[in-house]
Amino acid sequence: MFNPRCFFGLVFIALIIVCRGQDSRIDSVLSLIEKGKEDTSRVNHLNFLTQQYAKHGDSANVIKYAEKAIQLGTSIGFYKGTALAYYTAGSFYLYTGYSNNALSNLLKALEIYRKTGNQNGVALTCSTIGNLYNMQNNYVLGLKYYHAALKIVEELGNKKQLATLTANTGLVYYYQGNFKQALGNSLKALALDQDLSNAAGIARDYGNIGVIYEKQGNFPKALDFYFKALKILEAENNKDNISMILGNIGLVYSDQGNYSKALDYHMKALEMDLKNRNKAGIPRHQTNIGIVFEATGNFKKALYYYFKALAGDEQIGNKDGMVAVLGNIGIVYDRMNLRDSAMFYDLRALQLAEEIGNKSSIAINLGQIGSLFTKQKKYELAERYLQKAITVSGSIGSLNHQKDQYMLLSELYSAKGDYKRSLESYKLGSAIRDSVFNQEKNKEFTRQEMNYEFEKKEAATRALQEKKNALSLAESNKQKTLFLIVCGVLILVFIFSLVIFRSLRITGKQKKMIEIKNKETEQQKNTIEEKNKDILDSIHYAQRIQNSLLPTQKYIERKFNELKK
């Protein structure tokens, strides 16, 4: 069963994505190519178009313009442009599942970069070749090329690329089952990205650490790191990787058997990629949704989503995705006892897996076909396919595949009545199973230990948080009380000020009225005094007149005396 988990360390995927948002320039660049000379600028324009068409998954135009860039670059001696064309074509082949073509182009790019002394190009190409071998489960060669790239970027002091390569190397250890080393590398990459404040790198590292914890069965920590990655990606509005993380969260819930919640996250991821027209992400989420429905026995809906995923992978030329979905469709038909349909899709999956050189998928599909032939009582064909499956599994060191295939071989011999060989195959399968079981047991011990440490840490964190909450509440109450006191004082001051203001205003009015009355009184006094003066002056004047007309006292006395005589 195919469970497509998403990782963030692959350099070649970044190459395809970096060109987004430049579509409006395609027509203008095509015009420049038609009118331009056959020089380095023309090679650069051809490489630009190659990258643009790679973004859209337009295989025909990617190959067309890459070949033109290679041909012109080689003829004019512009090796930098030629190497870039080889690298872009190789990365696109890798992205779409054509491993053999990818390797051929990438090795040519590497050869040119080495001859011209372009160390950055050598490092980038070695890293991508490492990705290729990693995807083919050839971890020895994958590590070889990663270490070659790491040596160069360390000498160049390119910390950002060093972080990416360290993360990629961690993924190889993850695939090898060396989770301790995988976690160590991922944490080292995280430290480098944090020093660089590289948000995209930090999100990638959180995602990869989450995948490691998920594989170890430490689901709380897996979700913790996934949600940390999700927070950064949402802040960066990185919609493609947001949907990838949502899908990974869905896989955690699937692993726990919580299919309703798993379906919820896969649907959210699918809705986001449909809205953003992320053609690479849509079939991945549809496959995961199909797996959920298959696990819950809803084969009709499982097939509906598998066929949708198959159409999407065919559209973008994702051969690895097609192989996986075809195999899943075969499994569903087998579970529905539709053997002919199951055989049809398993054979298609095998043919495509052989075409792209994916040995892990070859081994799985050989085993499935062998099992189907056993059920159809075609024992010779069944044995041939199962023996070949065991050989391929052994060549890539997949114990899990070998274990399953020996058990299928035991069932075959038992069906034929060859109980001796059935027992021998069963013992071989059991021995491998025990080996795997011991590994799983060790993982389980590690898982339990990590869960204990995690729960212990969570309890301590919870207690600390409760203490902080209590202190915060007390401080909040203190601040609230202080605030109320200050507000009360301010209100009292305001009321007191209002009373004083009112008193002063009344006093002012009264003072003004008294002043007006005093002024009126003074005016009345002055008026009276003026009138009294006028009266007195009149009296004095009349008196003076009277005095002037009447004889004086002396005169009267004199006259009176004269009369007496």
Side-chain angles (χ1 to χ4, degrees):
M1 174 111 19
F2 175 66
N3 255 357
R5 280 169 174 76
C6 309
F7 304 94
F8 297 90
L10 302 182
V11 176
F12 77 94
I13 291 177
L15 173 74
I16 304 299
I17 294 172
V18 289
C19 306
R20 292 198 171 203
Q22 300 178 13
D23 299 345
S24 60
R25 294 180 56 191
I26 289 180
D27 291 338
S28 61
V29 171
L30 284 169
S31 178
L32 288 171
I33 288 174
E34 289 177 4
K35 299 174 183 177
K37 299 177 181 179
E38 292 196 345
D39 55 11
T40 57
S41 294
R42 187 183 180 92
V43 176
N44 288 333
H45 291 147
L46 289 167
N47 277 326
F48 172 81
L49 290 173
T50 302
Q51 293 175 340
Q52 288 298 301
Y53 288 119
K55 177 191 74 170
H56 293 294
D58 188 341
S59 303
N61 277 321
V62 170
I63 306 310
K64 174 183 174 181
Y65 288 104
E67 286 179 350
K68 285 186 176 183
I70 291 166
Q71 185 179 359
L72 180 57
T74 304
S75 66
I76 65 174
F78 184 37
Y79 299 113
K80 180 181 177 182
T82 305
L84 179 58
Y86 275 126
Y87 177 79
T88 306
S91 298
F92 181 74
Y93 278 129
L94 178 58
Y95 179 70
T96 52
Y98 288 95
S99 301
N100 294 332
N101 290 341
L103 184 59
S104 173
N105 281 274
L106 290 170
L107 288 173
K108 287 175 183 176
L110 181 60
E111 182 182 1
I112 296 172
Y113 282 135
R114 281 176 171 163
K115 283 182 179 179
T116 56
N118 187 334
Q119 292 295 83
N120 279 317
V122 172
L124 183 62
T125 309
C126 281
S127 177
T128 308
I129 294 172
N131 290 337
L132 184 151
Y133 283 123
N134 187 17
M135 293 176 71
Q136 290 184 329
N137 299 321
N138 194 336
Y139 304 125
V140 175
L141 283 177
L143 284 174
K144 175 186 173 182
Y145 279 94
Y146 281 155
H147 287 148
L150 277 168
K151 184 178 179 182
I152 294 170
V153 297
E154 284 175 344
E155 291 172 357
L156 295 174
N158 188 334
K159 289 186 177 180
K160 188 173 182 180
Q161 199 170 353
L162 178 61
T164 299
L165 281 165
T166 303
N168 281 3
T169 307
L171 293 181
V172 177
Y173 290 126
Y174 166 86
Y175 289 128
Q176 289 180 318
N178 187 346
F179 301 128
K180 184 177 180 181
Q181 190 68 46
L183 187 59
N185 274 62
S186 296
L187 291 171
K188 184 179 177 182
L190 176 61
L192 287 166
D193 284 317
Q194 286 174 333
D195 286 343
L196 294 167
S197 298
N198 178 12
I202 293 168
R204 173 201 63 211
D205 302 326
Y206 281 150
N208 288 345
I209 292 167
V211 170
I212 295 165
Y213 279 127
E214 181 186 350
K215 185 65 175 178
Q216 291 179 317
N218 193 334
F219 300 128
K221 271 203 171 182
L223 289 174
D224 181 42
F225 279 95
Y226 284 153
F227 282 116
K228 283 180 180 179
L230 188 60
K231 184 178 179 180
I232 295 172
L233 294 170
E234 287 176 339
E236 297 287 313
N237 198 29
N238 188 333
K239 293 179 180 178
D240 287 345
N241 283 338
I242 288 172
S243 63
M244 289 174 73
I245 283 289
L246 289 173
N248 278 11
I249 292 170
L251 290 171
V252 173
Y253 287 117
S254 283
D255 289 339
Q256 292 178 303
N258 190 341
Y259 295 116
S260 61
K261 208 158 189 177
L263 190 60
D264 182 48
Y265 275 96
H266 289 317
M267 286 294 188
K268 285 179 182 177
L270 176 60
E271 183 181 354
M272 180 172 284
D273 277 343
L274 285 169
K275 185 177 180 181
N276 297 321
R277 298 180 181 178
N278 180 5
K279 292 183 179 180
I282 291 167
R284 178 175 62 244
H285 304 310
Q286 289 169 333
T287 300
N288 284 336
I289 292 168
I291 290 170
V292 171
F293 281 122
E294 182 186 341
T296 55
N298 192 335
F299 299 138
K300 185 177 179 180
K301 279 197 172 182
L303 287 173
Y304 171 80
Y305 281 99
Y306 284 154
F307 279 115
K308 274 191 165 293
L310 181 61
D313 282 326
E314 284 176 339
Q315 185 181 4
I316 63 173
N318 182 6
K319 303 295 183 181
D320 279 314
M322 290 171 63
V323 169
V325 178
L326 287 167
N328 282 5
I329 292 170
I331 291 171
V332 173
Y333 279 128
D334 184 20
R335 293 183 65 183
M336 294 171 70
N337 295 318
L338 298 172
R339 311 286 188 221
D340 291 338
S341 296
M343 182 67 74
F344 173 79
Y345 285 99
D346 283 338
L347 287 170
R348 279 188 64 189
L350 176 61
Q351 182 182 0
L352 196 53
E354 289 175 336
E355 180 183 327
I356 64 176
N358 188 329
K359 290 186 177 181
S360 178
S361 294
I362 290 170
I364 291 170
N365 285 288
L366 284 169
Q368 287 182 195
I369 292 168
S371 176
L372 281 172
F373 278 132
T374 298
K375 292 170 184 175
Q376 292 176 335
K377 302 185 184 304
K378 297 178 181 179
Y379 300 131
E380 289 184 11
L381 285 172
E383 185 173 5
R384 188 189 310 166
Y385 275 89
L386 290 173
Q387 290 288 4
K388 192 174 179 181
I390 291 168
T391 302
V392 176
S393 296
S395 71
I396 60 173
S398 177
L399 293 177
N400 269 316
H401 292 348
Q402 283 184 307
K403 173 201 69 177
D404 293 338
Q405 287 147 7
Y406 273 118
M407 291 303 182
L408 291 174
L409 195 61
S410 175
E411 290 176 8
L412 164 65
Y413 289 136
S414 178
K416 286 175 64 176
D418 190 345
Y419 300 113
K420 181 181 178 182
R421 295 176 74 184
S422 174
L423 182 59
E424 289 172 355
S425 298
Y426 180 82
K427 285 180 178 179
L428 286 169
S430 296
I432 297 172
R433 183 189 61 196
D434 291 341
S435 174
V436 173
F437 175 76
N438 288 333
Q439 292 177 13
E440 293 297 327
K441 194 173 181 181
N442 289 332
K443 290 177 193 175
E444 180 62 26
F445 288 146
T446 304
R447 180 186 309 160
Q448 290 175 358
E449 182 180 350
M450 293 177 76
N451 276 327
Y452 171 73
E453 291 297 327
F454 177 71
E455 289 168 5
K456 190 169 142 185
K457 182 181 176 182
E458 285 291 295
T461 304
R462 211 163 32 245
L464 181 62
Q465 189 60 46
E466 287 173 359
K467 185 177 178 181
K468 285 181 179 179
N469 290 341
L471 290 172
S472 177
L473 182 61
E475 183 65 23
S476 176
N477 289 336
K478 182 179 176 182
Q479 293 291 336
K480 188 176 179 181
T481 303
L482 183 62
F483 175 74
L484 291 173
I485 290 171
V486 171
C487 287
V489 170
L490 289 174
I491 290 169
L492 289 173
V493 169
F494 175 74
I495 293 170
F496 183 69
S497 299
L498 190 64
V499 170
I500 292 174
F501 175 74
R502 187 169 177 274
S503 299
L504 289 172
R505 189 176 178 189
I506 292 170
T507 302
K509 284 183 178 180
Q510 290 174 343
K511 185 178 178 181
K512 190 174 182 181
M513 289 175 67
I514 291 170
E515 287 176 353
I516 292 170
K517 286 181 180 179
N518 288 340
K519 191 173 180 181
E520 289 176 351
T521 303
E522 186 67 29
Q523 287 177 347
Q524 289 173 357
K525 180 182 175 184
N526 291 336
T527 301
I528 292 168
E529 285 179 352
E530 286 179 3
K531 288 183 179 179
N532 288 339
K533 185 180 177 185
D534 291 341
I535 293 169
L536 288 173
D537 288 342
S538 298
I539 292 170
H540 290 154
Y541 178 71
Q543 191 176 17
R544 282 197 299 272
I545 294 174
Q546 185 179 2
N547 288 337
S548 64
L549 295 174
L550 293 174
T552 64
Q553 183 67 26
K554 288 182 179 181
Y555 175 78
I556 295 171
E557 287 179 354
R558 185 170 57 81
K559 286 296 182 179
F560 184 70
N561 289 330
E562 286 179 359
L563 288 172
K564 278 184 169 183
K565 293 179 177 181

